[in-house]
Amino acid sequence: MANAHVAHDCRVGNSCIIANGALLGGHCVLEDNVYLSGNSALHQFVRMGRLALLSGVSATTKDILPFIIQQRINCIVGVNVVGMRRAGIPTAHIDSVRRAFHVLYRQGLILPQALGLIERELGTVPEVAEMVAFIRASSRGINLDGGKMNDAA
């Protein structure tokens, strides 16, 4: 859209929406069905997982997990339930992603403990396995600020 900027060496997946004024630094990767809202920004080398959403006038310096909504600067606020439903993901799988979100962002565990628990309890759900694989492949790291606003998940 108008005034959006995709810098050098970026990879943009299928069916991504990049709204007015959205900015991608160099070498960013957007997986399929990512939503970049108006006037949002990604630091160079950031990855956004499938069906992730970065809200308007927000920015990230770290990778955003698949199926996650981020607002402000580096603040994770919930699961993109609406996007997952529209993509045809079964309700049971969405509920598993919500449970994984809760373990990562609400239980106060350190990341290795949270990943172990998620893999043991939910690792057979494809979307949860996708989230875990994304975290393990992250070179920039992920945002662990779960925000203090209402829990959209």
Side-chain angles (χ1 to χ4, degrees), residues 60-135:
T60 190
T61 60
K62 295 189 176 187
D63 294 344
I64 301 176
L65 293 175
F67 318 114
I68 293 297
I69 299 171
Q70 181 174 308
Q71 292 179 347
R72 300 184 302 279
I73 297 175
N74 293 338
C75 186
I76 303 301
V77 295
V79 175
N80 185 7
V81 173
V82 173
M84 294 177 77
R85 285 183 185 143
R86 289 179 180 165
I89 295 173
T91 301
H93 292 204
I94 294 171
D95 290 343
S96 294
V97 169
R98 293 171 94 170
R99 172 73 178 122
F101 173 88
H102 181 79
V103 170
L104 275 172
Y105 293 102
R106 299 293 189 254
Q107 286 192 344
L109 302 173
I110 63 171
L111 187 58
Q113 289 175 326
L115 286 176
L117 180 60
I118 290 167
E119 285 179 315
R120 280 192 307 279
E121 292 185 4
L122 305 163
T124 60
V125 178
E127 291 78 8
V128 174
E130 181 178 343
M131 292 174 72
V132 170
F134 185 94
I135 292 168

Side-chain angles (χ1 to χ4, degrees), residues 131-142:
M131 292 174 72
V132 170
F134 185 94
I135 292 168
R136 295 202 186 281
S138 176
S139 58
R140 287 200 66 84
I142 63 166

Side-chain angles (χ1 to χ4, degrees), residues 15-26:
S15 302
C16 292
I17 295 175
I18 302 173
N20 294 349
L23 306 171
L24 279 75

